[in-house]
Amino acid sequence: MKRHYRAKTQITVNNCIILDDNKPDIEKIIRVTSCPSLAKVIVIDRKVIIAGQIDVKVEYAAYGPCNTQPVHLAVFKVPFAHFIKHCGARCGQDAKISLEIEFQRFQQANRRTITIFLLLRACVFELETAKCRIKAAVCEAEHITEDCNEPLHCPQPPLYDESHHQPCSCVSCDC
């Protein structure tokens, strides 16, 4: 069953990035590009948790007249994590997320440090019920043995597909 509630949030990322020791100092920032990517999406009751990183590429002019290579590129990965409130979200569902950069500002703090401020917009554009659920095992009195040397036996119920109420054929579920 697909649900199409549009839950949104904004995420701010305010951080400092520092050049590696093998890079020359910054004289002037020429261009900065950034691209967000999701690494993990977890759906719990009434919330969708997202985590990922923003790939930031800084093209800059190196400081000093003696540099043989005047333009350099530095690449950074800036992590983020946040949640989106969603009234229809339930544990075990799958969520599809759209993620985009709404605003970005980069400023040179000194010759080795750049401050970044990013505003991301995240939106749950599709929420789908997981296909398999594992039912809890129920131990009935007739399955319990009284012999102390024999291990306790409790049969596990089969996995069920909610849409057909038939045992499903999957071996394991990520539910």
Side-chain angles (χ1 to χ4, degrees):
M1 179 169 113
K2 292 184 182 181
R3 298 179 192 231
H4 293 283
Y5 303 113
R6 300 275 187 202
K8 301 176 196 173
T9 193
Q10 290 182 320
I11 305 164
T12 57
V13 177
N14 195 4
N15 209 336
C16 289
I17 50 179
I18 301 170
L19 290 179
D20 290 335
D21 291 337
N22 62 347
K23 296 281 187 185
D25 290 349
I26 300 170
E27 181 177 333
K28 180 182 174 190
I29 296 173
I30 298 169
R31 177 179 25 224
V32 179
T33 58
S34 55
C35 180
S37 62
L38 284 174
K40 191 175 281 190
V41 176
I42 301 169
V43 181
I44 62 173
D45 286 345
R46 297 183 181 208
K47 289 184 184 159
V48 178
I49 302 166
I50 59 174
Q53 66 185 18
I54 302 162
D55 296 324
V56 178
K57 295 178 183 176
V58 180
E59 188 177 347
Y60 68 95
Y63 181 77
C66 61
N67 286 322
T68 56
Q69 181 182 347
V71 177
H72 287 267
L73 180 71
V75 179
F76 304 94
K77 296 185 183 305
V78 181
F80 70 89
H82 202 68
F83 67 91
I84 304 167
K85 289 183 180 181
H86 194 297
C87 63
R90 298 292 176 259
C91 189
Q93 291 180 313
D94 296 323
K96 291 190 175 142
I97 309 293
S98 71
L99 185 65
E100 62 185 49
I101 295 176
E102 191 172 330
F103 175 80
Q104 60 184 0
R105 183 176 54 200
F106 300 90
Q107 290 183 321
Q108 182 177 344
N110 58 42
R111 291 186 180 168
R112 309 263 337 139
T113 307
I114 300 168
T115 60
I116 63 171
F117 178 80
L118 293 158
L119 181 61
L120 302 172
R121 183 183 325 150
C123 177
V124 177
F125 69 88
E126 190 173 302
L127 198 58
E128 190 172 311
T129 303
K131 299 199 182 340
C132 295
R133 292 213 186 263
I134 299 174
K135 289 212 168 202
V138 178
C139 292
E140 296 176 5
E142 62 265 13
H143 297 297
I144 300 174
T145 60
E146 294 182 356
D147 185 2
C148 293
N149 296 327
E150 192 175 319
L152 181 65
H153 173 68
C154 181
Q156 297 291 322
L159 299 174
Y160 288 90
D161 183 344
E162 282 186 345
S163 62
H164 300 96
H165 298 291
Q166 300 287 327
C168 69
S169 61
C170 59
V171 175
S172 65
C173 297
D174 292 316
C175 304

